[in-house]
């Protein structure tokens, strides 16, 4: 089973005569086949050595190997590939047991900060090894016990090389005390477009212009122009408010547009060459976030875990003739500060100034926005 064999091609003027000579030298053949002036023989390692030590004018070529010799030849021929493949498999196994990202899914910044601190305390960090199931359960119980007033429910799951934490905030219904009386007031100037009053007396109407601090829903309840009661006014007020946004941009520029595609890859760099292991679909243009896992002292060899994001490079030249791009940037500045239900009503260019290499554009916006705020008072103050 483990014996090595060689298939030889022997050719010459009278190859049968040469074969007879080999027989006389006690060289045995496992197989022999004649074809014109060529003979094909199969011999074991011992007889192969005998044949190869014979000085002859006949041509003797090794055309195939069998057994251990064949495997040894294949391994030697593909040694570099096998080494890199083995390294890649070991790296994948190693890296698949390391956490590269922690996602805390909740909109409340305070809750996210609490969980980040707690997870860090228990060793749930980026670039650390994954924890076993029992330890994860202990962590969950400890965090819930430590923050009973803030956290109602917590789930910590591993998704590949990411820990994903889902959490429900504990909601405590605060009952407004009798002395916490308030008005709903405007936090900025604008023209009222909608009033949603839940409690209190509406003292302004739609289309009224209000300044910052003006009372819109009063906590004083009137009857026949006399105050008969007080309450904690509740509601929302939406108004048309105004903003000016200034955009400065180069006349000539390149814009990177993300396609939404991204992937994690293991990258190996040696000298000036770079390879992504098992990356069968390469991006033409991309942004790379590199996390170096290993680097030699001289910087010749490096292994990193990279997050690649596909981008499309768009060259733009002479945007002087178009306001559309300036509007796009200005809108994004306004929209990033808007909440759900708020939106831009209209926009208008105020002016454009062209310098040597830049364009400065001012844009005026009308925005539908929640301007509700509260002003607290007490009965003793006579408000």
């Amino acid at each position: 089973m483990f014996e090595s064999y060689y298939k030889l091609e022997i050719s010459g003027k009278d190859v049968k005569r040469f074969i007879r000579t080999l027989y006389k030298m006690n060289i045995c053949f496992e197989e022999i086949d004649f074809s014109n002036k060529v003979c094909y023989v199969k011999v074991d390692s011992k007889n192969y050595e005998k044949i190869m030590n014979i000085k002859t004018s006949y041509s003797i070529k090794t055309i195939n190997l069998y057994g251990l010799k064949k495997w040894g030849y294949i391994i030697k021929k593909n040694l570099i590939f096998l080494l890199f493949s083995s390294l890649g498999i070991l790296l994948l196994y190693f890296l698949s047991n390391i956490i590269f990202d922690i996602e805390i899914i909740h909109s409340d910044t305070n809750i996210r900060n609490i969980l980040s601190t707690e997870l860090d305390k228990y060793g749930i960090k980026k670039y650390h090894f994954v924890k076993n199931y029992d330890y994860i359960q202990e962590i969950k119980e400890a965090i819930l016990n430590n923050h009973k007033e803030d956290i109602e429910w917590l789930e910590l799951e591993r998704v590949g090389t990411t820990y994903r934490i889902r959490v429900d905030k504990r909601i405590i219904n605060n009952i407004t005390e009798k002395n916490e009386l308030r008005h709903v007031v405007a936090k900025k100037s604008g023209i009222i477009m909608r009033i949603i009053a839940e409690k209190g007396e509406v003292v302004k109407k739609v289309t009224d212009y209000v300044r910052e601090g003006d009372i819109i829903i009063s906590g004083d309840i009137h009857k026949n122009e006399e105050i008969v009661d007080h309450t904690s006014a509740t509601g929302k007020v939406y108004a048309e408010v105004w903003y000016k946004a200034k955009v400065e941009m180069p006349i000539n520029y390149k814009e990177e547009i993300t396609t939404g595609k991204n992937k994690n890859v293991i990258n190996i760099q040696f000298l000036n060459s770079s390879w992504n292991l098992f990356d069968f679909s390469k991006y033409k243009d991309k942004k790379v976030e590199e996390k170096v896992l290993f680097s030699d002292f001289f910087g010749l060899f490096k292994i990193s875990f990279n997050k690649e994001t596909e981008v499309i490079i768009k060259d733009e030249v002479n945007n002087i003739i178009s306001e559309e791009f300036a509007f796009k940037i200005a809108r994004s500045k306004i929209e990033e500060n808007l909440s759900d239900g708020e939106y831009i009503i209209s926009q208008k260019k105020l002016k454009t100034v062209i310098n040597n290499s830049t364009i400065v554009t001012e844009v005026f916006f009308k925005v539908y926005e929640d301007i509700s705020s509260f002003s607290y008072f007490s009965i003793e103050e006579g408000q």
Side-chain angles (χ1 to χ4, degrees):
M1 179 179 178
F2 300 104
E3 185 68 44
S4 296
Y5 294 93
Y6 301 80
K7 188 169 184 178
L8 306 177
E9 179 188 271
I10 304 173
S11 59
K13 185 176 181 180
D14 189 355
V15 70
K16 291 185 178 180
R17 179 180 176 183
F18 181 65
I19 295 299
R20 286 196 294 269
T21 302
L22 295 178
Y23 272 122
K24 290 178 182 179
M25 296 174 65
N26 294 321
I27 294 175
C28 301
F29 305 103
E30 300 295 323
E31 296 176 3
I32 186 167
D33 181 32
F34 288 96
S35 177
N36 295 328
K37 294 182 179 181
V38 179
C39 180
Y40 298 95
V41 298
K42 182 179 178 182
V43 295
D44 59 19
S45 298
K46 182 178 178 182
N47 288 296
Y48 172 78
E49 294 293 336
K50 290 180 180 179
I51 293 173
M52 299 309 292
N53 287 328
I54 296 173
K55 294 181 179 180
T56 178
S57 60
Y58 287 88
S59 172
I60 304 174
K61 298 179 182 178
T62 302
I63 60 174
N64 207 347
L65 296 171
Y66 304 90
L68 290 178
K69 283 290 182 181
K70 181 171 184 177
W71 287 108
Y73 173 78
I74 292 172
I75 292 172
K76 185 177 180 180
K77 185 177 180 180
N78 298 280
L79 182 61
I80 295 177
F81 172 77
L82 291 172
L83 285 174
F84 273 101
S85 296
S86 300
L87 177 63
I89 292 170
L90 289 173
L91 277 174
L92 283 176
Y93 178 77
F94 175 77
L95 295 173
S96 65
N97 286 282
I98 293 179
I99 293 301
F100 289 94
D101 195 16
I102 296 176
E103 296 180 4
I104 301 175
I105 303 173
H106 202 277
S107 59
D108 191 313
T109 303
N110 182 53
I111 292 294
R112 293 201 302 271
N113 290 337
I114 289 173
L115 286 174
S116 295
T117 302
E118 288 292 317
L119 293 171
D120 188 75
K121 182 171 72 176
Y122 291 106
I124 304 296
K125 305 177 182 179
K126 286 185 179 181
Y127 317 121
H128 282 59
F129 284 103
V130 299
K131 308 298 183 182
N132 61 45
Y133 176 81
D134 291 336
Y135 184 69
I136 292 296
Q137 299 307 307
E138 291 177 10
I139 292 172
K140 287 166 54 178
E141 292 298 324
I143 293 174
L144 287 170
N145 288 331
N146 293 339
H147 300 277
K148 293 179 179 179
E149 295 183 357
D150 299 304
I151 300 174
E152 179 75 28
W153 172 83
L154 175 69
E155 181 58 42
L156 196 159
E157 63 175 339
R158 176 189 172 192
V159 182
T161 57
T162 299
Y163 272 135
R164 188 169 293 160
I165 298 92
R166 302 180 187 276
V167 59
D168 281 347
K169 181 179 178 180
R170 185 180 294 278
I171 299 175
I172 300 174
N173 294 321
N174 294 316
I175 301 174
T176 304
E177 297 179 5
K178 290 183 179 179
N179 61 346
E180 288 187 334
L181 305 174
R182 68 187 185 187
H183 307 298
V184 175
V185 300
K187 64 182 177 183
K188 60 181 66 175
S189 300
I191 297 174
I192 297 174
M193 297 184 70
R194 187 183 182 192
I195 300 174
I196 305 172
E198 297 176 7
K199 187 186 293 185
E201 183 176 313
V202 179
V203 295
K204 296 289 184 180
K205 62 181 183 296
V206 173
T207 71
D208 280 354
Y209 172 77
V210 291
R211 294 183 176 87
E212 180 181 352
D214 285 355
I215 297 173
I216 302 172
I217 305 174
S218 176
D220 294 328
I221 309 301
H222 293 77
K223 184 177 181 181
N224 297 327
E225 298 184 357
E226 291 186 7
I227 298 175
V228 296
D229 198 3
H230 306 277
T231 187
S232 178
T234 305
K236 281 192 174 184
V237 180
Y238 290 91
E240 176 190 304
V241 296
W242 311 281
Y243 294 97
K244 280 198 302 184
K246 181 185 289 186
V247 177
E248 183 174 353
M249 60 184 179
I251 294 173
N252 302 317
Y253 75 102
K254 286 185 177 181
E255 182 184 9
E256 290 185 348
I257 303 173
T258 58
T259 65
K261 295 181 180 179
N262 58 71
K263 59 186 174 183
N264 295 325
V265 297
I266 300 170
N267 179 263
I268 297 176
Q269 295 183 37
F270 181 69
L271 297 178
N272 294 324
S273 299
S274 176
W275 304 272
N276 284 350
L277 295 183
F278 309 109
D279 183 10
F280 305 109
S281 179
K282 300 183 184 299
Y283 296 149
K284 181 181 177 182
D285 296 302
K286 60 192 175 184
K287 292 194 298 185
V288 179
E289 296 178 21
E290 183 183 68
K291 305 293 183 183
V292 177
L293 302 176
F294 172 81
S295 178
D296 70 323
F297 180 77
F298 300 100
L300 301 176
F301 179 76
K302 181 169 66 175
I303 301 174
S304 59
F305 182 85
N306 297 345
K307 180 178 180 181
E308 294 186 354
T309 302
E310 185 182 40
V311 298
I312 297 173
I313 305 298
K314 184 179 180 183
D315 294 330
E316 294 286 349
V317 180
N318 297 326
N319 282 290
I320 300 173
I321 59 173
S322 175
E323 300 170 354
E324 190 172 324
F325 186 71
F327 282 161
K328 177 182 176 183
I329 295 176
R331 283 184 70 93
S332 67
K333 286 185 177 182
I334 301 297
E335 288 175 339
E336 68 185 10
N337 295 313
L338 299 182
S339 302
D340 291 342
E342 300 176 337
Y343 59 87
I344 293 172
I345 300 170
S346 65
Q347 62 190 31
K348 181 181 179 181
K349 187 190 79 168
L350 296 179
K351 64 178 179 178
T352 296
V353 178
I354 303 171
N355 298 319
N356 292 331
S357 59
T358 61
I359 308 168
V360 180
T361 302
E362 283 191 3
V363 186
F364 175 79
F365 290 95
K366 292 182 179 180
V367 179
Y368 180 82
E369 187 175 324
D370 180 3
I371 63 167
S372 307
S373 186
F374 300 107
S375 173
Y376 291 86
F377 68 93
S378 61
I379 299 173
E380 289 74 18
E381 294 174 353
Q383 297 187 26

